[in-house]
Amino acid sequence: MFTIEHDFDATVITLIDEADAGTRPLNEDVVILGFDDRVVVEQMNPEGTEVVRITFTIEQLEELRVALDLPEGNYRLSR
């Protein structure tokens, strides 16, 4: 399940972990904040004591998108 909200300066997508009762432990929600110049991914750490945050530039996000469909190796996107 996921939600999408449009705030003043960002689009916020929240990915909610779901599973049948008793099949596996649930993970904390993943929150993705999309800004004009970056994308931030947040999730509470397993101990529930702090939020872990990763910030991608738009260029890094494009490289990640491309990398998901490529085999092992070193690559550089031409811009």
Side-chain angles (χ1 to χ4, degrees), residues 16-57:
I16 302 163
D17 194 15
E18 294 183 294
D20 292 331
T23 59
R24 65 174 172 83
L26 295 177
N27 290 312
E28 293 289 335
D29 295 350
V30 174
V31 178
I32 303 162
L33 301 128
F35 298 92
D36 288 342
D37 61 342
R38 68 196 180 285
V39 172
V40 179
V41 179
E42 299 178 338
Q43 186 178 38
M44 185 67 68
N45 71 355
E47 295 79 32
T49 58
E50 64 182 348
V51 173
V52 177
R53 181 175 293 119
I54 299 172
T55 302
F56 293 94
T57 64

Side-chain angles (χ1 to χ4, degrees), residues 59-74:
E59 294 79 13
Q60 288 174 313
L61 197 60
E62 174 63 11
E63 289 176 350
L64 175 59
R65 185 192 66 77
V66 170
L68 292 173
D69 292 326
L70 291 171
E72 240 180 294
N74 295 313

